[in-house]
Amino acid sequence: MRKTRDYDAELKALGDKAKALKSRKVQQLGELVTATGADALDLDVLAGALLHVVAEAQVEGNREAWRSDGAGFFQRRGRKAGRSAATDSGGTGEAGAGGSQN
């Protein structure tokens, strides 16, 4: 005999998972703003810049350029994290081998 499914529990679990994902997304956005130095901008300036970017996002060439710049930013950030971890460990390189997994 088949076990009955508890749809209410499954829906609650999915809702909890969606809330956790949204919370993580907001946290990562805040970390990104801080990492890029955009937290030094006034809120109005940052919002205006984002609105202009969204308006210009219709042009595919711009989007690809932004994507490559973003990938470069994260690659530079990862190498810096690896270098500082290797330096902190006395230069053995073991801590730097893990690098950043972001």
Side-chain angles (χ1 to χ4, degrees):
M1 186 161 183
R2 289 182 65 178
K3 183 178 169 183
T4 59
R5 290 176 67 176
D6 187 358
Y7 291 109
D8 290 333
E10 289 180 25
L11 283 173
K12 185 180 182 322
L14 285 174
D16 292 343
K17 186 175 180 179
K19 285 180 186 177
L21 287 172
K22 186 174 182 177
S23 173
R24 193 173 88 203
K25 182 180 178 181
V26 169
Q27 179 183 1
Q28 288 175 339
L29 180 61
E31 291 171 357
L32 180 62
V33 167
T34 303
T36 59
D39 59 335
L41 298 173
D42 291 334
L43 188 58
D44 295 339
V45 173
L46 181 58
L50 287 172
L51 288 171
H52 282 162
V53 167
V54 169
E56 293 179 13
Q58 305 303 322
V59 180
E60 191 61 32
N62 287 344
R63 182 173 273 179
E64 287 302 318
W66 297 333
R67 184 175 288 123
S68 66
D69 289 349
F73 170 78
F74 286 114
Q75 288 173 355
R76 282 191 310 273
R77 188 170 157 223
R79 285 197 305 267
K80 288 179 183 176
R83 251 188 249 133
S84 65
T87 304
D88 292 343
S89 66
T92 60
E94 293 176 16
S100 72
Q101 297 177 350
N102 292 344

Coordinates of all heavy atoms in Angstrom, one line a residue:
M1 N 0.8 -1.2 0.0 CA 0.0 0.0 0.0 C 0.9 1.2 0.0 O 1.9 1.3 0.7 CB -0.9 0.0 1.2 CG -1.9 1.1 1.3 SD -3.2 0.6 2.4 CE -4.2 1.9 2.2
R2 N 0.5 2.2 -0.8 CA 1.3 3.4 -0.9 C 1.1 4.4 0.3 O 0.0 4.5 0.8 CB 0.9 4.2 -2.2 CG 1.3 3.5 -3.4 CD 1.0 4.2 -4.7 NE 1.7 5.5 -4.7 CZ 1.6 6.4 -5.6 NH1 0.8 6.2 -6.7 NH2 2.3 7.5 -5.6
K3 N 2.1 5.0 0.6 CA 2.1 6.0 1.7 C 1.5 7.3 1.1 O 1.8 7.7 0.0 CB 3.5 6.2 2.1 CG 3.7 7.2 3.3 CD 5.2 7.3 3.7 CE 5.4 8.4 4.6 NZ 6.8 8.6 4.9
T4 N 0.6 7.9 1.9 CA 0.0 9.1 1.4 C 0.9 10.3 1.6 O 1.7 10.3 2.5 CB -1.3 9.4 2.2 OG1 -1.0 9.5 3.6 CG2 -2.3 8.3 2.0
R5 N 0.8 11.3 0.7 CA 1.7 12.4 0.7 C 1.0 13.5 1.5 O -0.2 13.7 1.5 CB 1.9 13.0 -0.7 CG 2.8 12.0 -1.6 CD 2.9 12.5 -3.0 NE 3.7 13.7 -3.0 CZ 4.0 14.3 -4.2 NH1 3.6 13.8 -5.3 NH2 4.7 15.4 -4.2
D6 N 1.9 14.2 2.3 CA 1.4 15.3 3.1 C 1.7 16.6 2.3 O 2.8 17.2 2.4 CB 2.1 15.3 4.4 CG 1.6 16.4 5.4 OD1 0.6 17.1 5.0 OD2 2.1 16.4 6.5
Y7 N 0.7 17.0 1.5 CA 0.9 18.2 0.6 C 1.1 19.5 1.4 O 1.9 20.3 1.0 CB -0.3 18.3 -0.3 CG -0.4 17.2 -1.3 CD1 -1.4 16.3 -1.3 CD2 0.5 17.2 -2.4 CE1 -1.5 15.3 -2.2 CE2 0.4 16.2 -3.3 CZ -0.6 15.2 -3.3 OH -0.6 14.3 -4.2
D8 N 0.4 19.6 2.6 CA 0.6 20.8 3.4 C 2.0 20.9 3.9 O 2.6 22.0 3.8 CB -0.4 20.8 4.6 CG -1.8 21.0 4.2 OD1 -2.0 21.6 3.1 OD2 -2.7 20.5 4.9
A9 N 2.6 19.8 4.3 CA 4.0 19.8 4.8 C 5.0 20.2 3.6 O 5.9 20.9 3.8 CB 4.4 18.5 5.4
E10 N 4.7 19.6 2.4 CA 5.5 19.9 1.3 C 5.4 21.3 0.9 O 6.5 21.9 0.5 CB 5.1 19.0 0.1 CG 5.5 17.5 0.3 CD 5.1 16.6 -0.8 OE1 5.0 17.1 -2.0 OE2 4.9 15.4 -0.6
L11 N 4.2 21.9 0.9 CA 4.1 23.3 0.5 C 4.8 24.2 1.5 O 5.4 25.2 1.2 CB 2.6 23.7 0.5 CG 1.9 23.2 -0.8 CD1 0.4 23.5 -0.7 CD2 2.5 23.9 -2.0
K12 N 4.7 23.9 2.8 CA 5.4 24.6 3.8 C 6.9 24.6 3.7 O 7.6 25.6 3.7 CB 5.0 24.1 5.2 CG 5.6 25.0 6.3 CD 5.2 24.5 7.7 CE 5.7 25.3 8.8 NZ 7.0 25.9 8.7
A13 N 7.4 23.4 3.4 CA 8.8 23.2 3.1 C 9.3 24.0 1.9 O 10.3 24.7 2.0 CB 9.2 21.8 3.0
L14 N 8.5 24.0 0.9 CA 8.9 24.8 -0.3 C 8.8 26.3 0.0 O 9.7 27.1 -0.5 CB 7.9 24.5 -1.5 CG 8.2 23.1 -2.2 CD1 7.1 22.9 -3.2 CD2 9.5 23.1 -2.8
G15 N 7.8 26.7 0.7 CA 7.7 28.1 1.1 C 8.9 28.6 2.0 O 9.5 29.6 1.8
D16 N 9.3 27.7 2.9 CA 10.5 28.0 3.7 C 11.8 28.1 2.9 O 12.6 29.0 3.1 CB 10.7 26.9 4.8 CG 9.5 27.0 5.9 OD1 8.8 28.0 5.9 OD2 9.4 26.0 6.6
K17 N 11.9 27.2 1.9 CA 13.0 27.2 1.1 C 13.1 28.5 0.2 O 14.1 29.1 0.0 CB 13.0 26.0 0.2 CG 14.3 25.8 -0.7 CD 14.2 24.5 -1.4 CE 15.5 24.3 -2.3 NZ 15.5 23.1 -3.0
A18 N 11.9 28.9 -0.3 CA 11.8 30.1 -1.1 C 12.2 31.3 -0.2 O 13.0 32.2 -0.7 CB 10.4 30.3 -1.7
K19 N 11.8 31.4 1.0 CA 12.1 32.5 1.9 C 13.7 32.5 2.2 O 14.3 33.6 2.2 CB 11.4 32.4 3.2 CG 10.0 32.8 3.1 CD 9.3 32.6 4.5 CE 7.8 32.9 4.4 NZ 7.1 32.7 5.7
A20 N 14.2 31.3 2.4 CA 15.7 31.3 2.6 C 16.5 31.7 1.4 O 17.5 32.4 1.5 CB 16.1 29.8 3.0
L21 N 16.0 31.3 0.2 CA 16.7 31.7 -1.0 C 16.6 33.2 -1.2 O 17.6 33.8 -1.6 CB 16.1 31.0 -2.2 CG 16.5 29.5 -2.4 CD1 15.7 28.9 -3.5 CD2 18.0 29.3 -2.6
K22 N 15.5 33.8 -1.0 CA 15.3 35.2 -1.1 C 16.2 36.0 -0.1 O 16.8 37.0 -0.5 CB 13.8 35.6 -0.9 CG 13.6 37.1 -1.2 CD 12.1 37.4 -1.2 CE 11.9 38.9 -1.5 NZ 10.5 39.2 -1.5
S23 N 16.2 35.5 1.1 CA 17.1 36.1 2.1 C 18.5 36.1 1.7 O 19.3 37.0 1.9 CB 16.8 35.4 3.5 OG 17.7 35.9 4.4
R24 N 19.0 34.9 1.2 CA 20.3 34.7 0.8 C 20.7 35.7 -0.4 O 21.8 36.3 -0.5 CB 20.6 33.3 0.4 CG 22.1 33.0 0.3 CD 22.4 31.6 0.1 NE 22.3 31.3 -1.4 CZ 22.1 30.1 -1.9 NH1 21.8 29.1 -1.1 NH2 22.0 30.0 -3.2
K25 N 19.7 35.8 -1.3 CA 19.9 36.7 -2.4 C 20.1 38.2 -2.0 O 21.0 38.9 -2.5 CB 18.7 36.6 -3.4 CG 18.8 37.4 -4.6 CD 17.6 37.2 -5.5 CE 17.6 38.1 -6.7 NZ 16.4 37.9 -7.5
V26 N 19.3 38.6 -1.1 CA 19.4 40.0 -0.5 C 20.7 40.1 0.2 O 21.4 41.2 0.0 CB 18.2 40.3 0.4 CG1 18.4 41.6 1.2 CG2 16.9 40.3 -0.4
Q27 N 21.2 39.2 1.0 CA 22.4 39.2 1.7 C 23.6 39.3 0.7 O 24.5 40.1 0.8 CB 22.6 38.0 2.6 CG 23.9 38.0 3.3 CD 24.1 36.8 4.2 OE1 23.3 35.9 4.2 NE2 25.2 36.8 4.9
Q28 N 23.6 38.5 -0.4 CA 24.6 38.5 -1.4 C 24.7 39.8 -2.1 O 25.7 40.3 -2.5 CB 24.5 37.3 -2.3 CG 24.8 36.0 -1.7 CD 24.5 34.8 -2.6 OE1 23.8 34.9 -3.6 NE2 25.1 33.7 -2.3
L29 N 23.5 40.4 -2.4 CA 23.5 41.7 -3.0 C 24.1 42.8 -2.2 O 24.9 43.6 -2.7 CB 22.0 42.1 -3.4 CG 21.9 43.4 -4.1 CD1 22.6 43.4 -5.4 CD2 20.4 43.7 -4.3
G30 N 23.9 42.7 -0.9 CA 24.5 43.7 0.0 C 26.0 43.5 0.1 O 26.8 44.4 0.1
E31 N 26.5 42.2 0.1 CA 27.9 41.9 0.1 C 28.5 42.4 -1.2 O 29.7 42.9 -1.2 CB 28.1 40.4 0.3 CG 27.8 39.9 1.6 CD 27.8 38.4 1.7 OE1 28.0 37.7 0.7 OE2 27.5 37.9 2.8
L32 N 27.8 42.3 -2.3 CA 28.4 42.7 -3.6 C 28.5 44.3 -3.6 O 29.5 44.8 -4.1 CB 27.4 42.3 -4.8 CG 27.9 42.7 -6.2 CD1 29.2 42.1 -6.5 CD2 26.8 42.2 -7.2
V33 N 27.5 44.9 -3.1 CA 27.5 46.4 -3.0 C 28.7 46.8 -2.2 O 29.5 47.8 -2.6 CB 26.2 47.0 -2.5 CG1 26.4 48.5 -2.1 CG2 25.1 46.8 -3.5
T34 N 29.0 46.2 -1.1 CA 30.1 46.5 -0.2 C 31.4 46.2 -0.9 O 32.4 47.0 -0.9 CB 30.0 45.8 1.1 OG1 28.7 46.1 1.7 CG2 31.1 46.1 2.0
A35 N 31.5 45.0 -1.5 CA 32.8 44.6 -2.2 C 33.2 45.5 -3.3 O 34.4 45.7 -3.5 CB 32.6 43.1 -2.7
T36 N 32.2 46.0 -4.0 CA 32.5 46.9 -5.2 C 32.8 48.3 -4.7 O 33.3 49.1 -5.5 CB 31.4 46.9 -6.2 OG1 30.2 47.4 -5.6 CG2 31.2 45.6 -6.8
G37 N 32.5 48.7 -3.5 CA 32.7 50.0 -3.0 C 31.5 50.9 -3.3 O 31.6 52.1 -3.0
A38 N 30.4 50.3 -3.8 CA 29.3 51.1 -4.1 C 28.5 51.6 -2.8 O 27.7 52.5 -2.9 CB 28.3 50.4 -5.0
D39 N 28.9 51.1 -1.7 CA 28.3 51.5 -0.4 C 28.7 52.9 -0.1 O 28.1 53.6 0.8 CB 28.6 50.5 0.7 CG 30.1 50.3 1.0 OD1 30.9 50.6 0.1 OD2 30.4 49.9 2.1
A40 N 29.8 53.4 -0.7 CA 30.2 54.8 -0.5 C 29.4 55.8 -1.2 O 29.4 57.0 -0.9 CB 31.7 54.9 -0.9
L41 N 28.5 55.4 -2.1 CA 27.7 56.3 -2.9 C 26.4 56.6 -2.1 O 26.0 55.8 -1.2 CB 27.2 55.6 -4.2 CG 28.4 55.3 -5.2 CD1 27.8 54.5 -6.4 CD2 29.0 56.6 -5.7
D42 N 25.8 57.7 -2.3 CA 24.5 58.1 -1.7 C 23.5 57.1 -2.3 O 23.6 56.6 -3.4 CB 24.1 59.5 -2.1 CG 25.0 60.5 -1.4 OD1 25.5 60.2 -0.3 OD2 25.1 61.7 -1.9
L43 N 22.5 56.8 -1.5 CA 21.4 55.9 -2.0 C 20.8 56.4 -3.3 O 20.5 55.6 -4.1 CB 20.4 55.7 -0.8 CG 19.3 54.7 -1.1 CD1 20.0 53.3 -1.3 CD2 18.4 54.6 0.1
D44 N 20.5 57.7 -3.4 CA 19.9 58.2 -4.6 C 20.8 58.0 -5.8 O 20.3 57.7 -6.9 CB 19.6 59.7 -4.4 CG 18.6 60.0 -3.4 OD1 17.8 59.1 -3.0 OD2 18.6 61.2 -2.9
V45 N 22.1 58.2 -5.6 CA 23.0 58.0 -6.8 C 23.1 56.6 -7.2 O 23.1 56.2 -8.4 CB 24.4 58.5 -6.4 CG1 25.5 58.2 -7.4 CG2 24.4 60.0 -6.1
L46 N 23.2 55.7 -6.2 CA 23.2 54.3 -6.5 C 21.9 53.8 -7.2 O 22.0 53.1 -8.2 CB 23.4 53.5 -5.2 CG 23.5 51.9 -5.4 CD1 24.7 51.6 -6.3 CD2 23.7 51.3 -4.0
A47 N 20.8 54.2 -6.7 CA 19.5 53.9 -7.3 C 19.4 54.4 -8.8 O 19.0 53.7 -9.7 CB 18.4 54.4 -6.5
G48 N 19.9 55.7 -9.0 CA 19.9 56.2 -10.3 C 20.8 55.5 -11.3 O 20.4 55.2 -12.4
A49 N 22.0 55.1 -10.8 CA 22.9 54.4 -11.6 C 22.3 53.0 -12.0 O 22.4 52.6 -13.2 CB 24.2 54.2 -10.9
L50 N 21.7 52.3 -11.1 CA 21.1 51.1 -11.4 C 19.9 51.2 -12.4 O 19.8 50.4 -13.3 CB 20.6 50.4 -10.1 CG 21.7 49.8 -9.2 CD1 21.1 49.3 -7.9 CD2 22.4 48.7 -9.9
L51 N 19.1 52.3 -12.2 CA 18.1 52.5 -13.2 C 18.6 52.7 -14.6 O 18.0 52.3 -15.6 CB 17.2 53.7 -12.7 CG 16.3 53.4 -11.5 CD1 15.7 54.7 -11.0 CD2 15.2 52.3 -11.8
H52 N 19.7 53.5 -14.7 CA 20.3 53.7 -16.0 C 20.8 52.4 -16.6 O 20.7 52.2 -17.8 CB 21.4 54.8 -15.9 CG 20.8 56.2 -15.9 ND1 21.6 57.2 -15.5 CD2 19.6 56.7 -16.2 CE1 20.8 58.3 -15.5 NE2 19.7 58.0 -15.9
V53 N 21.4 51.6 -15.8 CA 21.9 50.3 -16.3 C 20.8 49.4 -16.8 O 20.9 48.8 -17.8 CB 22.7 49.6 -15.2 CG1 23.0 48.2 -15.5 CG2 24.0 50.3 -14.9
V54 N 19.7 49.4 -16.0 CA 18.6 48.6 -16.4 C 18.0 49.1 -17.7 O 17.6 48.3 -18.6 CB 17.5 48.6 -15.3 CG1 16.2 48.0 -15.8 CG2 18.0 47.8 -14.1
A55 N 18.0 50.4 -17.9 CA 17.4 51.0 -19.1 C 18.3 50.7 -20.3 O 17.9 50.4 -21.4 CB 17.3 52.5 -19.0
E56 N 19.6 50.6 -20.1 CA 20.6 50.3 -21.2 C 20.8 48.8 -21.4 O 21.4 48.4 -22.3 CB 21.9 50.9 -20.9 CG 21.9 52.5 -20.9 CD 23.3 53.1 -20.6 OE1 24.3 52.3 -20.5 OE2 23.4 54.3 -20.3
A57 N 20.2 48.0 -20.5 CA 20.4 46.5 -20.6 C 19.7 45.9 -21.8 O 20.0 44.8 -22.2 CB 19.9 45.9 -19.3
Q58 N 18.9 46.7 -22.5 CA 18.3 46.2 -23.7 C 19.3 46.0 -24.8 O 19.0 45.2 -25.7 CB 17.2 47.2 -24.2 CG 16.2 47.6 -23.1 CD 15.5 46.3 -22.6 OE1 15.2 45.4 -23.3 NE2 15.2 46.3 -21.3
V59 N 20.4 46.7 -24.8 CA 21.4 46.5 -25.9 C 22.3 45.3 -25.5 O 22.9 45.3 -24.4 CB 22.3 47.8 -26.0 CG1 23.3 47.6 -27.1 CG2 21.4 49.0 -26.3
E60 N 22.3 44.3 -26.3 CA 23.0 43.1 -25.9 C 24.5 43.3 -25.8 O 25.1 42.6 -25.0 CB 22.7 42.0 -27.0 CG 23.2 40.6 -26.6 CD 22.5 40.1 -25.3 OE1 21.3 40.4 -25.0 OE2 23.2 39.3 -24.5
G61 N 25.1 44.1 -26.6 CA 26.5 44.4 -26.5 C 26.9 44.9 -25.1 O 28.0 44.5 -24.6
N62 N 26.1 45.8 -24.6 CA 26.4 46.3 -23.2 C 26.3 45.2 -22.2 O 27.2 45.1 -21.4 CB 25.4 47.4 -22.9 CG 25.6 48.7 -23.6 OD1 26.6 48.9 -24.2 ND2 24.6 49.5 -23.6
R63 N 25.4 44.3 -22.3 CA 25.2 43.3 -21.3 C 26.4 42.3 -21.4 O 26.9 41.9 -20.3 CB 23.9 42.5 -21.6 CG 23.6 41.4 -20.6 CD 22.3 40.8 -20.8 NE 21.3 41.6 -20.1 CZ 20.0 41.4 -20.1 NH1 19.5 40.5 -20.7 NH2 19.3 42.2 -19.4
E64 N 26.9 42.0 -22.5 CA 28.0 41.1 -22.6 C 29.3 41.8 -22.0 O 30.1 41.1 -21.4 CB 28.3 40.7 -24.1 CG 27.3 39.7 -24.6 CD 27.2 38.4 -23.8 OE1 28.3 37.9 -23.4 OE2 26.1 37.9 -23.5
A65 N 29.5 43.1 -22.3 CA 30.6 43.8 -21.7 C 30.5 43.8 -20.2 O 31.5 43.6 -19.5 CB 30.7 45.2 -22.3
W66 N 29.3 44.0 -19.7 CA 29.1 44.0 -18.2 C 29.4 42.7 -17.7 O 30.0 42.5 -16.6 CB 27.7 44.5 -17.9 CG 27.4 45.9 -18.3 CD1 28.3 46.9 -18.5 CD2 26.1 46.4 -18.6 NE1 27.6 48.1 -18.8 CE2 26.3 47.8 -18.9 CE3 24.9 45.9 -18.6 CZ2 25.3 48.6 -19.3 CZ3 23.8 46.7 -18.9 CH2 24.0 48.1 -19.2
R67 N 28.9 41.6 -18.4 CA 29.2 40.3 -17.9 C 30.6 39.9 -17.8 O 31.1 39.4 -16.8 CB 28.4 39.3 -18.8 CG 28.5 37.8 -18.3 CD 27.7 36.9 -19.2 NE 26.3 37.1 -18.9 CZ 25.4 37.4 -19.9 NH1 25.8 37.5 -21.1 NH2 24.1 37.6 -19.6
S68 N 31.4 40.3 -18.8 CA 32.8 40.0 -18.8 C 33.6 40.9 -17.7 O 34.5 40.3 -17.0 CB 33.5 40.3 -20.2 OG 33.4 41.6 -20.5
D69 N 33.1 42.1 -17.5 CA 33.7 42.9 -16.4 C 33.4 42.3 -15.1 O 34.3 42.3 -14.2 CB 33.2 44.3 -16.5 CG 33.7 45.1 -17.7 OD1 34.7 44.7 -18.3 OD2 33.2 46.2 -17.9
G70 N 32.2 41.8 -14.9 CA 31.8 41.2 -13.6 C 32.6 39.9 -13.4 O 33.0 39.7 -12.3
A71 N 32.8 39.1 -14.4 CA 33.6 37.9 -14.2 C 35.0 38.2 -13.9 O 35.6 37.6 -13.0 CB 33.5 37.1 -15.5
G72 N 35.5 39.3 -14.5 CA 36.9 39.7 -14.2 C 37.0 40.2 -12.7 O 38.0 39.9 -12.0
F73 N 36.0 40.9 -12.3 CA 36.0 41.4 -10.9 C 36.0 40.2 -9.9 O 36.8 40.2 -9.0 CB 34.7 42.2 -10.6 CG 34.5 42.5 -9.2 CD1 35.2 43.5 -8.5 CD2 33.6 41.8 -8.4 CE1 35.0 43.8 -7.2 CE2 33.4 42.1 -7.1 CZ 34.1 43.1 -6.5
F74 N 35.2 39.2 -10.1 CA 35.2 38.0 -9.2 C 36.4 37.2 -9.3 O 36.9 36.7 -8.3 CB 33.9 37.2 -9.5 CG 32.7 37.8 -9.0 CD1 31.7 38.2 -9.8 CD2 32.5 38.0 -7.6 CE1 30.5 38.8 -9.4 CE2 31.3 38.6 -7.1 CZ 30.3 39.0 -8.0
Q75 N 37.1 37.1 -10.5 CA 38.3 36.4 -10.6 C 39.4 37.1 -9.8 O 40.2 36.5 -9.2 CB 38.7 36.2 -12.0 CG 37.8 35.2 -12.7 CD 38.0 35.1 -14.2 OE1 38.8 35.9 -14.8 NE2 37.4 34.2 -14.9
R76 N 39.5 38.5 -10.0 CA 40.5 39.2 -9.2 C 40.3 39.1 -7.7 O 41.2 38.9 -7.0 CB 40.4 40.7 -9.6 CG 41.0 41.1 -10.9 CD 41.2 42.6 -11.1 NE 39.9 43.3 -10.8 CZ 39.0 43.6 -11.6 NH1 39.1 43.1 -12.9 NH2 37.9 44.2 -11.3
R77 N 39.0 39.1 -7.3 CA 38.7 39.0 -5.9 C 39.1 37.7 -5.4 O 39.6 37.5 -4.3 CB 37.2 39.3 -5.7 CG 36.8 39.3 -4.3 CD 35.3 39.8 -4.2 NE 34.8 39.4 -3.0 CZ 33.6 38.9 -2.9 NH1 32.8 38.7 -3.9 NH2 33.1 38.5 -1.7
G78 N 38.9 36.6 -6.1 CA 39.3 35.3 -5.7 C 40.8 35.1 -5.6 O 41.3 34.5 -4.6
R79 N 41.6 35.7 -6.5 CA 43.0 35.6 -6.4 C 43.5 36.3 -5.2 O 44.4 35.9 -4.5 CB 43.7 36.1 -7.7 CG 43.6 35.2 -8.8 CD 44.6 35.6 -9.9 NE 44.4 36.9 -10.4 CZ 43.7 37.3 -11.4 NH1 43.0 36.5 -12.1 NH2 43.6 38.6 -11.7
K80 N 43.0 37.5 -4.9 CA 43.4 38.3 -3.7 C 43.1 37.5 -2.5 O 43.9 37.5 -1.5 CB 42.7 39.6 -3.7 CG 43.2 40.6 -4.7 CD 42.4 41.9 -4.6 CE 42.8 42.9 -5.7 NZ 42.1 44.1 -5.7
A81 N 41.9 36.9 -2.4 CA 41.6 36.1 -1.2 C 42.6 34.9 -1.0 O 43.0 34.6 0.1 CB 40.2 35.6 -1.3
G82 N 42.9 34.3 -2.1 CA 43.9 33.2 -2.0 C 45.3 33.6 -1.6 O 45.9 33.0 -0.8
R83 N 45.7 34.8 -2.1 CA 47.0 35.3 -1.7 C 47.1 35.7 -0.3 O 48.0 35.4 0.4 CB 47.3 36.5 -2.6 CG 48.4 36.3 -3.6 CD 48.8 37.6 -4.3 NE 48.4 37.5 -5.6 CZ 47.7 38.4 -6.3 NH1 47.5 39.5 -5.7 NH2 47.4 38.2 -7.6
S84 N 46.0 36.3 0.2 CA 46.1 36.7 1.6 C 46.0 35.5 2.6 O 46.6 35.5 3.6 CB 44.9 37.7 1.9 OG 43.7 37.1 1.8
A85 N 45.3 34.5 2.2 CA 45.2 33.3 3.0 C 46.5 32.6 3.0 O 47.0 32.1 4.1 CB 44.1 32.4 2.5
A86 N 47.2 32.6 1.9 CA 48.5 31.9 1.8 C 49.5 32.7 2.7 O 50.4 32.1 3.3 CB 49.0 31.8 0.4
T87 N 49.5 34.0 2.6 CA 50.4 34.9 3.4 C 50.1 34.7 4.9 O 51.1 34.6 5.7 CB 50.2 36.3 3.0 OG1 50.3 36.5 1.6 CG2 51.2 37.2 3.8
D88 N 48.9 34.6 5.3 CA 48.5 34.4 6.7 C 49.0 33.1 7.3 O 49.3 32.9 8.4 CB 47.0 34.5 6.9 CG 46.5 36.0 6.7 OD1 47.4 36.9 6.6 OD2 45.3 36.1 6.5
S89 N 49.1 32.0 6.4 CA 49.5 30.7 6.9 C 51.0 30.5 6.9 O 51.5 29.4 7.1 CB 48.8 29.6 6.0 OG 49.4 29.7 4.7
G90 N 51.7 31.6 6.7 CA 53.2 31.4 6.7 C 53.8 31.1 5.4 O 54.9 30.6 5.3
G91 N 53.0 31.1 4.3 CA 53.5 30.9 3.0 C 53.5 29.4 2.6 O 54.1 29.0 1.6
T92 N 52.9 28.5 3.4 CA 52.9 27.1 3.0 C 52.0 26.8 1.8 O 52.2 25.8 1.2 CB 52.3 26.3 4.2 OG1 51.0 26.7 4.5 CG2 53.2 26.4 5.4
G93 N 51.0 27.7 1.6 CA 50.2 27.5 0.4 C 49.0 26.6 0.6 O 48.1 26.5 -0.2
E94 N 48.9 26.0 1.8 CA 47.8 25.1 2.0 C 46.5 25.8 2.1 O 45.5 25.4 1.6 CB 48.0 24.3 3.3 CG 49.2 23.3 3.1 CD 49.5 22.5 4.4 OE1 48.6 22.6 5.3 OE2 50.5 21.9 4.6
A95 N 46.5 26.9 2.8 CA 45.3 27.7 3.0 C 44.9 28.4 1.7 O 43.7 28.5 1.4 CB 45.4 28.8 4.1
G96 N 45.8 28.7 0.8 CA 45.6 29.4 -0.4 C 45.0 28.4 -1.5 O 44.4 28.7 -2.4
A97 N 45.3 27.1 -1.3 CA 44.8 26.1 -2.2 C 43.3 26.0 -2.2 O 42.7 25.7 -3.3 CB 45.4 24.7 -1.8
G98 N 42.7 26.3 -1.1 CA 41.2 26.3 -1.1 C 40.6 27.4 -1.8 O 39.5 27.4 -2.4
G99 N 41.4 28.5 -1.9 CA 40.9 29.8 -2.5 C 39.6 30.2 -2.1 O 39.1 29.8 -1.0
S100 N 38.9 31.0 -2.9 CA 37.5 31.3 -2.5 C 36.6 30.5 -3.4 O 36.8 30.4 -4.6 CB 37.3 32.8 -2.7 OG 37.3 33.2 -4.1
Q101 N 35.5 30.0 -2.8 CA 34.6 29.2 -3.6 C 33.3 30.0 -3.8 O 32.3 29.4 -3.9 CB 34.3 27.9 -2.8 CG 35.6 27.1 -2.6 CD 35.3 25.9 -1.8 OE1 34.3 25.7 -1.2 NE2 36.3 25.0 -1.8
N102 N 33.4 31.3 -4.0 CA 32.2 32.1 -4.2 C 31.8 32.0 -5.6 O 32.4 32.0 -6.6 CB 32.4 33.5 -3.8 CG 32.5 33.6 -2.3 OD1 32.2 32.7 -1.6 ND2 33.0 34.7 -1.8

